Amino acid sequence: MSGFRTVAIVAALVVAAFLLALSDRYYMDVFILTCFYGALAVSWNMMAGLTGLMSLGHALFVGIGAYSVAWGASVQGWPPLVTWPMGVVIAVAAAAVMGMLCFRYGLRGYFFAIATLAFNEVAFFSVSASVALGRSDGLILPTSSEDSVMMLQFFDKWPYGLIIGTVLIATLAIGQYLLTSRTGYYWRALRDNEEAAEALGVNARAYKLRCFMLSAGISAVCGAFYANYVAFVDPRSVLGIDLSIQMLVYSIIGGMALLWGPLLGAVLLVPFSVLLRNISAMQGSEIIAYAVLLVVLALILPQGIAGWLTARWRRRKAAPRPEGFASVAAAEKSA
Amino acid sequence: MTALLELKNVGKAFGGLKALSDVSFSVAPDEIFAIIGPNGAGKTTLFNCIAGALAPTQGEILFQGRRIDGRPPHEICAQGLVRTFQIVKPFRGMTVLENVKVAAFARHPRPRDAEAAAHRVLAHLGMEAFAETDADELNVAQMRRLEIARALATEPKLLLLDEMLAGLTPAESAAMCDLIRALPRQGIAVIVVEHSIPVVRSLCERAVAITFGEVLAEGTTEEVIDDPRVQEAYLGRADAKVDA
C-alpha cells in the first residue's frame, strides 16, 4: 500500500511543519492558512481531478459551513459542537440536491461547472441581502476575554493549527482509503470515460453524487473552521468566486492527477503570497509577481508539481519493459 | 432451446426517423451469433438498445427471461450482459491492470479480490506482461484486447462485440478470432457485429442480417449470407455473389 505510505509521509511533514510553526505566531498563521487552503483544494480536486467533475462554485459549501457557525454563535449562541455538524449536514444536503439536478439532466464538463457557479452566485446574493445573516456586512462571532474550548476560542494560534492540521490529515486519509477501494476506481473510471464505465457496471449518477457530497462535506468543515478562526464571516470572504478559483489554482499548479497534488500547490503558493504581501514596496506589485509565477509554473509544469515529481520518480525506477513496447523503451532510452 | 437473449419486435425511433423497426431474434446460451448488414443499417443502434445505452421505443428485450429494455447499462451489466465499443474507450489515466480491475469490481467488491480476478483475466488473455503499462501506451490490437479483458472481467453470460476486428492485421485478427471462438466453452455466449463476411462465416453458427433497420433474414450463417436479399443489400445486384 504505497499510497498509505505517501499519506503517512505527508502527515509526518504536516506535523513537523506544525512543530516548527509553534515558535512564532506569524509562522503559525501561515501554517494554518496553508492547511486550510490545502484541505479545501484536496477536497475540490477529489471531484475535479479524480472524478472529472469541475466545480466552480465550491465556495458555496465553505460558505455554508462558515455561516452555520457564525449564525449559530452570534444569533443563537450555539457551540461549534452543534454548528459544525449542522454546517456539514446542510452542505452535504445542498450538494445532494445540486448533484441530483445536474446529473439527472446529464450536465457534464463546462455545463456542470457553470451550474455550480450559478448556485454559488445565488447563495452569494441571497446572503448579501439577508438581514438574519448580516447582509454584505457579515457576521462577527461573539468573543469573551477568556479561552473557551467549548466555543473554540483561543488566544494562542496553535490550537487552531492543531485543528486544521488534523482536518487536512483526515482529508488525505479518507481520500487515500477511498482511492484504493472500489469507489475510487469507479471515480477515476468515470473521469476517464463515463460511457465505458457505465457499460462495465458503474452506476455513474450514484458515484458522482457520492463524490460531490463528500467533497462538499469536507469543504464545509473547512468553512466552519474558518469562521471560528477568523471570528468574522462575510459573503466576499467565504462565498466569493475568488475562493473557488483559489482551490482550482492550487490544484492545477500542484497537480490534479494525484490526491496530494493540490496540497503541494497550496504549500508553495500560500506562503509565497503571504511573503509577497509583506515585502512588496510598490502596492499591487505582489499580484503581478504572483500572476507571473502562475503563468511560468503552468507553462513549465503542465501536469503540475506532483505530476512532474512522479514522472521523474517513475523514470528513475523504471525497469526494462516487456517486449512490444518499442516506443516506451525508446522514450526511456532518450530520457 | 431456452433463449439467453430474446428480442421481440424491437423498434427505435429518433423523432420521426425510424432507426429500427420490428427486430426480432433470439440467441442461445452457447453460441456465437452475428449481426450483419451494410453501413447505416442500424447495427450499432440495435447494439446500444440491447446494452442499455439507448431505450427502445417499441418492443421487448428479454435477457434470461427478464425484461432489460430501458434499464440503465450498469444494471444490465450486473445481470451478466456486457458490451465492447467499436471505438475503443480505455480509461487512459490508468494502467492496464487498473482498467480491468474497474470491471472486476462489478463482481468482487473487495479490492484484493478484484485485483486477483483482474490478474486471472489478464493471464487468460496473455496480457499479464502489460499489467503495469499505462493503457494509453497500448497499440490498437492491444487496446482491443483490453476491451475484451475488461468485458470478461465483469464475468458475463453474454458478450456483445462491436466490430472487434476492424483495423487489425490478418495475424492479429486470427488471434482475436481464436479467442472469441473459445468463449462459448467457458459458458459465455457472444454476439458480434462484423463487416467481414469471411470472419462471420468462420466464427458464427447463426446470424441475422438487417438493413434500413429491419430484419432481412435470420438463420444459419450460410443461409443468411446466401440469401439473395442479403446479397442485394450488400452489393446492390441480385446476381452478385458475396464471397471472400
mmCIF file with all atom_site columns, all heavy atoms in Angstrom, chain B residues 21 45 55 61 64 71 73 75 83 97 99 128 133 141 143 145 155 157 184 188 202 205 215-216 239:
data_model
loop_
_atom_site.group_PDB
_atom_site.id
_atom_site.type_symbol
_atom_site.label_atom_id
_atom_site.label_alt_id
_atom_site.label_comp_id
_atom_site.label_asym_id
_atom_site.label_entity_id
_atom_site.label_seq_id
_atom_site.pdbx_PDB_ins_code
_atom_site.Cartn_x
_atom_site.Cartn_y
_atom_site.Cartn_z
_atom_site.occupancy
_atom_site.B_iso_or_equiv
_atom_site.pdbx_formal_charge
_atom_site.auth_seq_id
_atom_site.auth_comp_id
_atom_site.auth_asym_id
_atom_site.auth_atom_id
_atom_site.pdbx_PDB_model_num
ATOM 1   N N   . SER B 1 21  ? -37.019 -1.132  -36.765 1.00 0.00 ? 21  SER B N   1
ATOM 2   C CA  . SER B 1 21  ? -38.421 -1.469  -36.565 1.00 0.00 ? 21  SER B CA  1
ATOM 3   C C   . SER B 1 21  ? -38.626 -2.979  -36.642 1.00 0.00 ? 21  SER B C   1
ATOM 4   O O   . SER B 1 21  ? -38.052 -3.655  -37.497 1.00 0.00 ? 21  SER B O   1
ATOM 5   C CB  . SER B 1 21  ? -39.299 -0.730  -37.583 1.00 0.00 ? 21  SER B CB  1
ATOM 6   O OG  . SER B 1 21  ? -38.887 -1.027  -38.887 1.00 0.00 ? 21  SER B OG  1
ATOM 7   N N   . THR B 1 45  ? -27.125 0.876   -33.443 1.00 0.00 ? 45  THR B N   1
ATOM 8   C CA  . THR B 1 45  ? -28.318 1.282   -32.691 1.00 0.00 ? 45  THR B CA  1
ATOM 9   C C   . THR B 1 45  ? -28.914 0.085   -31.970 1.00 0.00 ? 45  THR B C   1
ATOM 10  O O   . THR B 1 45  ? -29.272 0.158   -30.782 1.00 0.00 ? 45  THR B O   1
ATOM 11  C CB  . THR B 1 45  ? -29.374 1.877   -33.641 1.00 0.00 ? 45  THR B CB  1
ATOM 12  O OG1 . THR B 1 45  ? -28.775 2.935   -34.374 1.00 0.00 ? 45  THR B OG1 1
ATOM 13  C CG2 . THR B 1 45  ? -30.568 2.405   -32.880 1.00 0.00 ? 45  THR B CG2 1
ATOM 14  N N   . ALA B 1 55  ? -32.781 3.447   -25.039 1.00 0.00 ? 55  ALA B N   1
ATOM 15  C CA  . ALA B 1 55  ? -34.001 2.720   -24.689 1.00 0.00 ? 55  ALA B CA  1
ATOM 16  C C   . ALA B 1 55  ? -34.823 2.535   -25.959 1.00 0.00 ? 55  ALA B C   1
ATOM 17  O O   . ALA B 1 55  ? -35.091 3.500   -26.656 1.00 0.00 ? 55  ALA B O   1
ATOM 18  C CB  . ALA B 1 55  ? -34.793 3.506   -23.655 1.00 0.00 ? 55  ALA B CB  1
ATOM 19  N N   . ILE B 1 61  ? -37.054 -6.543  -24.847 1.00 0.00 ? 61  ILE B N   1
ATOM 20  C CA  . ILE B 1 61  ? -35.806 -7.296  -24.886 1.00 0.00 ? 61  ILE B CA  1
ATOM 21  C C   . ILE B 1 61  ? -35.743 -8.099  -23.597 1.00 0.00 ? 61  ILE B C   1
ATOM 22  O O   . ILE B 1 61  ? -35.836 -7.533  -22.504 1.00 0.00 ? 61  ILE B O   1
ATOM 23  C CB  . ILE B 1 61  ? -34.581 -6.362  -24.994 1.00 0.00 ? 61  ILE B CB  1
ATOM 24  C CG1 . ILE B 1 61  ? -34.696 -5.495  -26.238 1.00 0.00 ? 61  ILE B CG1 1
ATOM 25  C CG2 . ILE B 1 61  ? -33.295 -7.177  -25.014 1.00 0.00 ? 61  ILE B CG2 1
ATOM 26  C CD1 . ILE B 1 61  ? -33.612 -4.445  -26.349 1.00 0.00 ? 61  ILE B CD1 1
ATOM 27  N N   . GLN B 1 64  ? -32.284 -13.720 -20.121 1.00 0.00 ? 64  GLN B N   1
ATOM 28  C CA  . GLN B 1 64  ? -32.575 -14.782 -19.154 1.00 0.00 ? 64  GLN B CA  1
ATOM 29  C C   . GLN B 1 64  ? -34.018 -14.680 -18.666 1.00 0.00 ? 64  GLN B C   1
ATOM 30  O O   . GLN B 1 64  ? -34.292 -14.836 -17.473 1.00 0.00 ? 64  GLN B O   1
ATOM 31  C CB  . GLN B 1 64  ? -31.618 -14.694 -17.962 1.00 0.00 ? 64  GLN B CB  1
ATOM 32  C CG  . GLN B 1 64  ? -30.178 -14.920 -18.372 1.00 0.00 ? 64  GLN B CG  1
ATOM 33  C CD  . GLN B 1 64  ? -29.235 -14.816 -17.188 1.00 0.00 ? 64  GLN B CD  1
ATOM 34  O OE1 . GLN B 1 64  ? -29.153 -13.796 -16.526 1.00 0.00 ? 64  GLN B OE1 1
ATOM 35  N NE2 . GLN B 1 64  ? -28.520 -15.887 -16.933 1.00 0.00 ? 64  GLN B NE2 1
ATOM 36  N N   . ARG B 1 71  ? -33.564 -0.421  -19.160 1.00 0.00 ? 71  ARG B N   1
ATOM 37  C CA  . ARG B 1 71  ? -32.797 -0.403  -17.914 1.00 0.00 ? 71  ARG B CA  1
ATOM 38  C C   . ARG B 1 71  ? -31.450 0.272   -18.179 1.00 0.00 ? 71  ARG B C   1
ATOM 39  O O   . ARG B 1 71  ? -30.924 0.210   -19.297 1.00 0.00 ? 71  ARG B O   1
ATOM 40  C CB  . ARG B 1 71  ? -32.537 -1.818  -17.385 1.00 0.00 ? 71  ARG B CB  1
ATOM 41  C CG  . ARG B 1 71  ? -33.777 -2.695  -17.203 1.00 0.00 ? 71  ARG B CG  1
ATOM 42  C CD  . ARG B 1 71  ? -34.842 -2.070  -16.335 1.00 0.00 ? 71  ARG B CD  1
ATOM 43  N NE  . ARG B 1 71  ? -34.350 -1.632  -15.038 1.00 0.00 ? 71  ARG B NE  1
ATOM 44  C CZ  . ARG B 1 71  ? -34.964 -0.728  -14.261 1.00 0.00 ? 71  ARG B CZ  1
ATOM 45  N NH1 . ARG B 1 71  ? -36.059 -0.157  -14.671 1.00 0.00 ? 71  ARG B NH1 1
ATOM 46  N NH2 . ARG B 1 71  ? -34.455 -0.407  -13.091 1.00 0.00 ? 71  ARG B NH2 1
ATOM 47  N N   . PRO B 1 73  ? -27.370 0.889   -18.290 1.00 0.00 ? 73  PRO B N   1
ATOM 48  C CA  . PRO B 1 73  ? -26.301 -0.060  -18.632 1.00 0.00 ? 73  PRO B CA  1
ATOM 49  C C   . PRO B 1 73  ? -25.696 -0.770  -17.427 1.00 0.00 ? 73  PRO B C   1
ATOM 50  O O   . PRO B 1 73  ? -25.385 -1.963  -17.521 1.00 0.00 ? 73  PRO B O   1
ATOM 51  C CB  . PRO B 1 73  ? -25.243 0.815   -19.301 1.00 0.00 ? 73  PRO B CB  1
ATOM 52  C CG  . PRO B 1 73  ? -25.948 2.036   -19.735 1.00 0.00 ? 73  PRO B CG  1
ATOM 53  C CD  . PRO B 1 73  ? -27.114 2.228   -18.823 1.00 0.00 ? 73  PRO B CD  1
ATOM 54  N N   . GLU B 1 75  ? -27.025 -1.735  -14.682 1.00 0.00 ? 75  GLU B N   1
ATOM 55  C CA  . GLU B 1 75  ? -27.883 -2.831  -14.207 1.00 0.00 ? 75  GLU B CA  1
ATOM 56  C C   . GLU B 1 75  ? -27.810 -4.029  -15.150 1.00 0.00 ? 75  GLU B C   1
ATOM 57  O O   . GLU B 1 75  ? -27.794 -5.179  -14.721 1.00 0.00 ? 75  GLU B O   1
ATOM 58  C CB  . GLU B 1 75  ? -29.339 -2.368  -14.111 1.00 0.00 ? 75  GLU B CB  1
ATOM 59  C CG  . GLU B 1 75  ? -29.661 -1.677  -12.803 1.00 0.00 ? 75  GLU B CG  1
ATOM 60  C CD  . GLU B 1 75  ? -31.127 -1.271  -12.724 1.00 0.00 ? 75  GLU B CD  1
ATOM 61  O OE1 . GLU B 1 75  ? -31.977 -1.979  -13.305 1.00 0.00 ? 75  GLU B OE1 1
ATOM 62  O OE2 . GLU B 1 75  ? -31.400 -0.234  -12.105 1.00 0.00 ? 75  GLU B OE2 1
ATOM 63  N N   . ARG B 1 83  ? -20.862 -5.221  -23.042 1.00 0.00 ? 83  ARG B N   1
ATOM 64  C CA  . ARG B 1 83  ? -20.536 -4.866  -24.416 1.00 0.00 ? 83  ARG B CA  1
ATOM 65  C C   . ARG B 1 83  ? -19.112 -4.320  -24.525 1.00 0.00 ? 83  ARG B C   1
ATOM 66  O O   . ARG B 1 83  ? -18.512 -3.897  -23.545 1.00 0.00 ? 83  ARG B O   1
ATOM 67  C CB  . ARG B 1 83  ? -21.473 -3.775  -24.897 1.00 0.00 ? 83  ARG B CB  1
ATOM 68  C CG  . ARG B 1 83  ? -21.187 -2.464  -24.176 1.00 0.00 ? 83  ARG B CG  1
ATOM 69  C CD  . ARG B 1 83  ? -21.866 -1.293  -24.785 1.00 0.00 ? 83  ARG B CD  1
ATOM 70  N NE  . ARG B 1 83  ? -21.518 -1.129  -26.185 1.00 0.00 ? 83  ARG B NE  1
ATOM 71  C CZ  . ARG B 1 83  ? -22.043 -0.182  -26.948 1.00 0.00 ? 83  ARG B CZ  1
ATOM 72  N NH1 . ARG B 1 83  ? -22.919 0.666   -26.436 1.00 0.00 ? 83  ARG B NH1 1
ATOM 73  N NH2 . ARG B 1 83  ? -21.689 -0.056  -28.186 1.00 0.00 ? 83  ARG B NH2 1
ATOM 74  N N   . LEU B 1 97  ? -3.868  -3.046  -15.726 1.00 0.00 ? 97  LEU B N   1
ATOM 75  C CA  . LEU B 1 97  ? -4.433  -3.789  -14.599 1.00 0.00 ? 97  LEU B CA  1
ATOM 76  C C   . LEU B 1 97  ? -5.588  -3.019  -13.959 1.00 0.00 ? 97  LEU B C   1
ATOM 77  O O   . LEU B 1 97  ? -6.643  -3.582  -13.664 1.00 0.00 ? 97  LEU B O   1
ATOM 78  C CB  . LEU B 1 97  ? -3.344  -4.069  -13.549 1.00 0.00 ? 97  LEU B CB  1
ATOM 79  C CG  . LEU B 1 97  ? -3.831  -4.797  -12.297 1.00 0.00 ? 97  LEU B CG  1
ATOM 80  C CD1 . LEU B 1 97  ? -4.256  -6.212  -12.627 1.00 0.00 ? 97  LEU B CD1 1
ATOM 81  C CD2 . LEU B 1 97  ? -2.761  -4.814  -11.221 1.00 0.00 ? 97  LEU B CD2 1
ATOM 82  N N   . ASN B 1 99  ? -7.501  -0.782  -15.327 1.00 0.00 ? 99  ASN B N   1
ATOM 83  C CA  . ASN B 1 99  ? -8.641  -0.830  -16.248 1.00 0.00 ? 99  ASN B CA  1
ATOM 84  C C   . ASN B 1 99  ? -9.474  -2.076  -16.009 1.00 0.00 ? 99  ASN B C   1
ATOM 85  O O   . ASN B 1 99  ? -10.700 -2.007  -15.898 1.00 0.00 ? 99  ASN B O   1
ATOM 86  C CB  . ASN B 1 99  ? -8.130  -0.853  -17.688 1.00 0.00 ? 99  ASN B CB  1
ATOM 87  C CG  . ASN B 1 99  ? -8.114  0.511   -18.333 1.00 0.00 ? 99  ASN B CG  1
ATOM 88  O OD1 . ASN B 1 99  ? -9.080  0.909   -18.974 1.00 0.00 ? 99  ASN B OD1 1
ATOM 89  N ND2 . ASN B 1 99  ? -7.036  1.239   -18.149 1.00 0.00 ? 99  ASN B ND2 1
ATOM 90  N N   . GLU B 1 128 ? -0.636  -10.450 -19.223 1.00 0.00 ? 128 GLU B N   1
ATOM 91  C CA  . GLU B 1 128 ? -0.078  -10.236 -17.893 1.00 0.00 ? 128 GLU B CA  1
ATOM 92  C C   . GLU B 1 128 ? 1.161   -9.331  -17.931 1.00 0.00 ? 128 GLU B C   1
ATOM 93  O O   . GLU B 1 128 ? 1.376   -8.519  -17.034 1.00 0.00 ? 128 GLU B O   1
ATOM 94  C CB  . GLU B 1 128 ? 0.265   -11.594 -17.264 1.00 0.00 ? 128 GLU B CB  1
ATOM 95  C CG  . GLU B 1 128 ? 0.651   -11.550 -15.813 1.00 0.00 ? 128 GLU B CG  1
ATOM 96  C CD  . GLU B 1 128 ? -0.435  -11.016 -14.885 1.00 0.00 ? 128 GLU B CD  1
ATOM 97  O OE1 . GLU B 1 128 ? -1.630  -11.255 -15.142 1.00 0.00 ? 128 GLU B OE1 1
ATOM 98  O OE2 . GLU B 1 128 ? -0.073  -10.338 -13.914 1.00 0.00 ? 128 GLU B OE2 1
ATOM 99  N N   . THR B 1 133 ? 1.481   -1.422  -17.452 1.00 0.00 ? 133 THR B N   1
ATOM 100 C CA  . THR B 1 133 ? 1.629   -0.423  -18.505 1.00 0.00 ? 133 THR B CA  1
ATOM 101 C C   . THR B 1 133 ? 0.443   0.532   -18.489 1.00 0.00 ? 133 THR B C   1
ATOM 102 O O   . THR B 1 133 ? -0.673  0.117   -18.213 1.00 0.00 ? 133 THR B O   1
ATOM 103 C CB  . THR B 1 133 ? 1.676   -1.128  -19.876 1.00 0.00 ? 133 THR B CB  1
ATOM 104 O OG1 . THR B 1 133 ? 2.659   -2.146  -19.813 1.00 0.00 ? 133 THR B OG1 1
ATOM 105 C CG2 . THR B 1 133 ? 2.000   -0.159  -20.987 1.00 0.00 ? 133 THR B CG2 1
ATOM 106 N N   . ALA B 1 141 ? -4.276  -3.186  -31.508 1.00 0.00 ? 141 ALA B N   1
ATOM 107 C CA  . ALA B 1 141 ? -4.642  -4.571  -31.228 1.00 0.00 ? 141 ALA B CA  1
ATOM 108 C C   . ALA B 1 141 ? -4.687  -4.818  -29.723 1.00 0.00 ? 141 ALA B C   1
ATOM 109 O O   . ALA B 1 141 ? -5.583  -5.502  -29.219 1.00 0.00 ? 141 ALA B O   1
ATOM 110 C CB  . ALA B 1 141 ? -3.642  -5.513  -31.883 1.00 0.00 ? 141 ALA B CB  1
ATOM 111 N N   . MET B 1 143 ? -5.248  -2.555  -27.419 1.00 0.00 ? 143 MET B N   1
ATOM 112 C CA  . MET B 1 143 ? -6.402  -1.867  -26.835 1.00 0.00 ? 143 MET B CA  1
ATOM 113 C C   . MET B 1 143 ? -7.681  -2.672  -27.047 1.00 0.00 ? 143 MET B C   1
ATOM 114 O O   . MET B 1 143 ? -8.547  -2.717  -26.181 1.00 0.00 ? 143 MET B O   1
ATOM 115 C CB  . MET B 1 143 ? -6.553  -0.474  -27.446 1.00 0.00 ? 143 MET B CB  1
ATOM 116 C CG  . MET B 1 143 ? -5.573  0.530   -26.868 1.00 0.00 ? 143 MET B CG  1
ATOM 117 S SD  . MET B 1 143 ? -6.172  2.209   -27.027 1.00 0.00 ? 143 MET B SD  1
ATOM 118 C CE  . MET B 1 143 ? -4.686  3.137   -26.563 1.00 0.00 ? 143 MET B CE  1
ATOM 119 N N   . ARG B 1 145 ? -7.828  -5.881  -27.230 1.00 0.00 ? 145 ARG B N   1
ATOM 120 C CA  . ARG B 1 145 ? -7.717  -6.987  -26.292 1.00 0.00 ? 145 ARG B CA  1
ATOM 121 C C   . ARG B 1 145 ? -8.087  -6.507  -24.884 1.00 0.00 ? 145 ARG B C   1
ATOM 122 O O   . ARG B 1 145 ? -8.727  -7.230  -24.120 1.00 0.00 ? 145 ARG B O   1
ATOM 123 C CB  . ARG B 1 145 ? -6.274  -7.504  -26.290 1.00 0.00 ? 145 ARG B CB  1
ATOM 124 C CG  . ARG B 1 145 ? -6.150  -8.991  -26.235 1.00 0.00 ? 145 ARG B CG  1
ATOM 125 C CD  . ARG B 1 145 ? -4.792  -9.446  -26.677 1.00 0.00 ? 145 ARG B CD  1
ATOM 126 N NE  . ARG B 1 145 ? -4.955  -10.347 -27.815 1.00 0.00 ? 145 ARG B NE  1
ATOM 127 C CZ  . ARG B 1 145 ? -5.038  -11.677 -27.684 1.00 0.00 ? 145 ARG B CZ  1
ATOM 128 N NH1 . ARG B 1 145 ? -4.931  -12.247 -26.505 1.00 0.00 ? 145 ARG B NH1 1
ATOM 129 N NH2 . ARG B 1 145 ? -5.214  -12.422 -28.726 1.00 0.00 ? 145 ARG B NH2 1
ATOM 130 N N   . GLU B 1 155 ? -17.444 -10.887 -15.725 1.00 0.00 ? 155 GLU B N   1
ATOM 131 C CA  . GLU B 1 155 ? -17.961 -12.257 -15.678 1.00 0.00 ? 155 GLU B CA  1
ATOM 132 C C   . GLU B 1 155 ? -19.364 -12.357 -16.285 1.00 0.00 ? 155 GLU B C   1
ATOM 133 O O   . GLU B 1 155 ? -20.333 -12.691 -15.610 1.00 0.00 ? 155 GLU B O   1
ATOM 134 C CB  . GLU B 1 155 ? -17.926 -12.781 -14.236 1.00 0.00 ? 155 GLU B CB  1
ATOM 135 C CG  . GLU B 1 155 ? -16.488 -12.850 -13.733 1.00 0.00 ? 155 GLU B CG  1
ATOM 136 C CD  . GLU B 1 155 ? -16.379 -13.208 -12.254 1.00 0.00 ? 155 GLU B CD  1
ATOM 137 O OE1 . GLU B 1 155 ? -17.354 -13.719 -11.689 1.00 0.00 ? 155 GLU B OE1 1
ATOM 138 O OE2 . GLU B 1 155 ? -15.295 -12.975 -11.687 1.00 0.00 ? 155 GLU B OE2 1
ATOM 139 N N   . LYS B 1 157 ? -22.486 -13.495 -19.062 1.00 0.00 ? 157 LYS B N   1
ATOM 140 C CA  . LYS B 1 157 ? -23.019 -14.674 -19.716 1.00 0.00 ? 157 LYS B CA  1
ATOM 141 C C   . LYS B 1 157 ? -23.184 -14.414 -21.205 1.00 0.00 ? 157 LYS B C   1
ATOM 142 O O   . LYS B 1 157 ? -23.276 -15.337 -21.999 1.00 0.00 ? 157 LYS B O   1
ATOM 143 C CB  . LYS B 1 157 ? -24.364 -15.057 -19.107 1.00 0.00 ? 157 LYS B CB  1
ATOM 144 C CG  . LYS B 1 157 ? -24.262 -15.417 -17.637 1.00 0.00 ? 157 LYS B CG  1
ATOM 145 C CD  . LYS B 1 157 ? -25.560 -16.030 -17.153 1.00 0.00 ? 157 LYS B CD  1
ATOM 146 C CE  . LYS B 1 157 ? -25.501 -16.274 -15.654 1.00 0.00 ? 157 LYS B CE  1
ATOM 147 N NZ  . LYS B 1 157 ? -25.600 -14.987 -14.908 1.00 0.00 ? 157 LYS B NZ  1
ATOM 148 N N   . PRO B 1 184 ? -17.645 -19.658 -25.930 1.00 0.00 ? 184 PRO B N   1
ATOM 149 C CA  . PRO B 1 184 ? -18.825 -20.456 -25.572 1.00 0.00 ? 184 PRO B CA  1
ATOM 150 C C   . PRO B 1 184 ? -18.487 -21.632 -24.675 1.00 0.00 ? 184 PRO B C   1
ATOM 151 O O   . PRO B 1 184 ? -19.283 -22.000 -23.807 1.00 0.00 ? 184 PRO B O   1
ATOM 152 C CB  . PRO B 1 184 ? -19.352 -20.922 -26.935 1.00 0.00 ? 184 PRO B CB  1
ATOM 153 C CG  . PRO B 1 184 ? -18.900 -19.876 -27.875 1.00 0.00 ? 184 PRO B CG  1
ATOM 154 C CD  . PRO B 1 184 ? -17.546 -19.461 -27.375 1.00 0.00 ? 184 PRO B CD  1
ATOM 155 N N   . ILE B 1 188 ? -19.853 -18.518 -22.099 1.00 0.00 ? 188 ILE B N   1
ATOM 156 C CA  . ILE B 1 188 ? -20.155 -17.149 -22.495 1.00 0.00 ? 188 ILE B CA  1
ATOM 157 C C   . ILE B 1 188 ? -20.645 -17.139 -23.937 1.00 0.00 ? 188 ILE B C   1
ATOM 158 O O   . ILE B 1 188 ? -19.910 -17.526 -24.854 1.00 0.00 ? 188 ILE B O   1
ATOM 159 C CB  . ILE B 1 188 ? -18.912 -16.242 -22.375 1.00 0.00 ? 188 ILE B CB  1
ATOM 160 C CG1 . ILE B 1 188 ? -18.373 -16.278 -20.939 1.00 0.00 ? 188 ILE B CG1 1
ATOM 161 C CG2 . ILE B 1 188 ? -19.236 -14.817 -22.794 1.00 0.00 ? 188 ILE B CG2 1
ATOM 162 C CD1 . ILE B 1 188 ? -17.000 -15.674 -20.794 1.00 0.00 ? 188 ILE B CD1 1
ATOM 163 N N   . SER B 1 202 ? -16.570 -17.925 -40.586 1.00 0.00 ? 202 SER B N   1
ATOM 164 C CA  . SER B 1 202 ? -15.714 -18.833 -39.817 1.00 0.00 ? 202 SER B CA  1
ATOM 165 C C   . SER B 1 202 ? -16.063 -18.836 -38.332 1.00 0.00 ? 202 SER B C   1
ATOM 166 O O   . SER B 1 202 ? -15.788 -19.791 -37.633 1.00 0.00 ? 202 SER B O   1
ATOM 167 C CB  . SER B 1 202 ? -14.245 -18.458 -40.014 1.00 0.00 ? 202 SER B CB  1
ATOM 168 O OG  . SER B 1 202 ? -13.919 -17.359 -39.198 1.00 0.00 ? 202 SER B OG  1
ATOM 169 N N   . GLU B 1 205 ? -22.299 -19.567 -35.922 1.00 0.00 ? 205 GLU B N   1
ATOM 170 C CA  . GLU B 1 205 ? -23.219 -20.589 -36.421 1.00 0.00 ? 205 GLU B CA  1
ATOM 171 C C   . GLU B 1 205 ? -24.455 -19.940 -37.005 1.00 0.00 ? 205 GLU B C   1
ATOM 172 O O   . GLU B 1 205 ? -24.984 -20.367 -37.997 1.00 0.00 ? 205 GLU B O   1
ATOM 173 C CB  . GLU B 1 205 ? -23.655 -21.524 -35.279 1.00 0.00 ? 205 GLU B CB  1
ATOM 174 C CG  . GLU B 1 205 ? -22.535 -22.321 -34.644 1.00 0.00 ? 205 GLU B CG  1
ATOM 175 C CD  . GLU B 1 205 ? -22.180 -21.794 -33.260 1.00 0.00 ? 205 GLU B CD  1
ATOM 176 O OE1 . GLU B 1 205 ? -23.036 -21.881 -32.352 1.00 0.00 ? 205 GLU B OE1 1
ATOM 177 O OE2 . GLU B 1 205 ? -21.054 -21.297 -33.073 1.00 0.00 ? 205 GLU B OE2 1
ATOM 178 N N   . VAL B 1 215 ? -35.204 -6.531  -40.177 1.00 0.00 ? 215 VAL B N   1
ATOM 179 C CA  . VAL B 1 215 ? -34.576 -7.830  -40.361 1.00 0.00 ? 215 VAL B CA  1
ATOM 180 C C   . VAL B 1 215 ? -34.806 -8.305  -41.790 1.00 0.00 ? 215 VAL B C   1
ATOM 181 O O   . VAL B 1 215 ? -35.934 -8.347  -42.267 1.00 0.00 ? 215 VAL B O   1
ATOM 182 C CB  . VAL B 1 215 ? -35.146 -8.863  -39.369 1.00 0.00 ? 215 VAL B CB  1
ATOM 183 C CG1 . VAL B 1 215 ? -34.592 -10.244 -39.667 1.00 0.00 ? 215 VAL B CG1 1
ATOM 184 C CG2 . VAL B 1 215 ? -34.813 -8.462  -37.947 1.00 0.00 ? 215 VAL B CG2 1
ATOM 185 N N   . LEU B 1 216 ? -33.702 -8.628  -42.477 1.00 0.00 ? 216 LEU B N   1
ATOM 186 C CA  . LEU B 1 216 ? -33.802 -9.170  -43.827 1.00 0.00 ? 216 LEU B CA  1
ATOM 187 C C   . LEU B 1 216 ? -33.927 -10.687 -43.781 1.00 0.00 ? 216 LEU B C   1
ATOM 188 O O   . LEU B 1 216 ? -34.733 -11.283 -44.462 1.00 0.00 ? 216 LEU B O   1
ATOM 189 C CB  . LEU B 1 216 ? -32.546 -8.820  -44.615 1.00 0.00 ? 216 LEU B CB  1
ATOM 190 C CG  . LEU B 1 216 ? -32.578 -7.595  -45.514 1.00 0.00 ? 216 LEU B CG  1
ATOM 191 C CD1 . LEU B 1 216 ? -31.289 -7.540  -46.308 1.00 0.00 ? 216 LEU B CD1 1
ATOM 192 C CD2 . LEU B 1 216 ? -33.770 -7.627  -46.434 1.00 0.00 ? 216 LEU B CD2 1
ATOM 193 N N   . ASP B 1 239 ? -27.759 -10.676 -58.770 1.00 0.00 ? 239 ASP B N   1
ATOM 194 C CA  . ASP B 1 239 ? -26.982 -11.798 -59.304 1.00 0.00 ? 239 ASP B CA  1
ATOM 195 C C   . ASP B 1 239 ? -25.536 -11.807 -58.820 1.00 0.00 ? 239 ASP B C   1
ATOM 196 O O   . ASP B 1 239 ? -24.745 -12.644 -59.216 1.00 0.00 ? 239 ASP B O   1
ATOM 197 C CB  . ASP B 1 239 ? -27.017 -11.777 -60.841 1.00 0.00 ? 239 ASP B CB  1
ATOM 198 C CG  . ASP B 1 239 ? -26.513 -10.464 -61.378 1.00 0.00 ? 239 ASP B CG  1
ATOM 199 O OD1 . ASP B 1 239 ? -26.503 -9.461  -60.605 1.00 0.00 ? 239 ASP B OD1 1
ATOM 200 O OD2 . ASP B 1 239 ? -26.108 -10.396 -62.536 1.00 0.00 ? 239 ASP B OD2 1
#
